[in-house]
Amino acid sequence: RYVAGMPGLPPDEVRSFLLEDGHLLRLATVDADGAPRVVPIWFRFDDETDRVLFTPRLKSAWWADIERDSRVALTIDEDDAPYRKVAIRGTATVEFEPGRDDEWRDTYRSIARRYTPDAFADAYVNATIEEPRALLSVPCDPGSVTTWRMPVAGEDPAGVWADRYYHRKPDPSEWVP
């Protein structure tokens, strides 16, 4: 889904961006008091099922939030230009309840390897093997995904904002320093 006036990412670019190592997922949930909670976490995009996979430990506060209300919002972005961003709203599905870790541990290992060297990821998984985790997923379907990036050379520099934010959209010549 594109935002009018702003450059977005077509589906193939969304897929390749989500497959790149190192981007953090920021997960938004609602706690028991109705307050928002946002946590940066590791994730993996499963391009066979078009689902974002992530895992809470049994005692994490955001796992309790999702057990109570499975509606979530995810953002995945980058720190460098063109500042690509993917936002997803959806419902978290429990693929594996905590305690069934043996059935999907290789998936967890693959998530850890996206962020750390293989040897450290293996040591980390092995050192925390007794800590029950759940495996969760959120679909990355076009109706729930919004993307954005900064304009690049040759694009309208006014695309830095969505059309709805402008009272008067500047002419591209006004952006020349």
Side-chain angles (χ1 to χ4, degrees), residues 80-139:
D80 297 317
Y83 307 112
R84 296 171 295 175
K85 296 168 179 42
V86 173
I88 305 168
R89 291 177 53 163
T91 301
T93 298
V94 179
E95 301 292 337
F96 291 97
E97 292 283 342
R100 294 180 56 196
D101 303 47
D102 288 344
E103 298 176 53
W104 62 275
R105 188 162 287 113
D106 287 341
T107 299
Y108 184 63
R109 191 177 310 275
S110 72
I111 292 171
R113 286 180 173 178
R114 284 174 43 90
Y115 298 92
T116 65
D118 291 356
F120 181 86
D122 292 343
Y124 169 70
V125 170
N126 293 337
T128 61
I129 209 160
E130 298 301 321
E131 297 295 330
R133 295 176 175 89
L135 179 63
L136 308 179
S137 71
V138 172

Side-chain angles (χ1 to χ4, degrees), residues 2-3 5-9 147-152 155-156 158-161:
Y2 292 100
V3 178
M6 298 180 73
L9 304 174
T147 67
W148 177 85
R149 67 167 168 71
M150 290 287 286
V152 296
E155 293 180 338
D156 182 358
V160 70
W161 287 2

Side-chain angles (χ1 to χ4, degrees), residues 60-76:
S60 66
W62 58 272
W63 166 241
D65 295 346
I66 289 173
E67 283 187 300
R68 192 176 36 266
D69 184 346
S70 59
R71 293 174 300 165
V72 297
L74 320 174
T75 62
I76 302 153

Side-chain angles (χ1 to χ4, degrees), residues 16-34:
S16 64
F17 176 68
L18 295 177
L19 289 168
E20 290 176 11
D21 289 348
H23 302 301
L24 287 176
L25 180 155
R26 285 148 183 94
L27 171 71
T29 61
V30 176
D31 74 12
D33 294 329

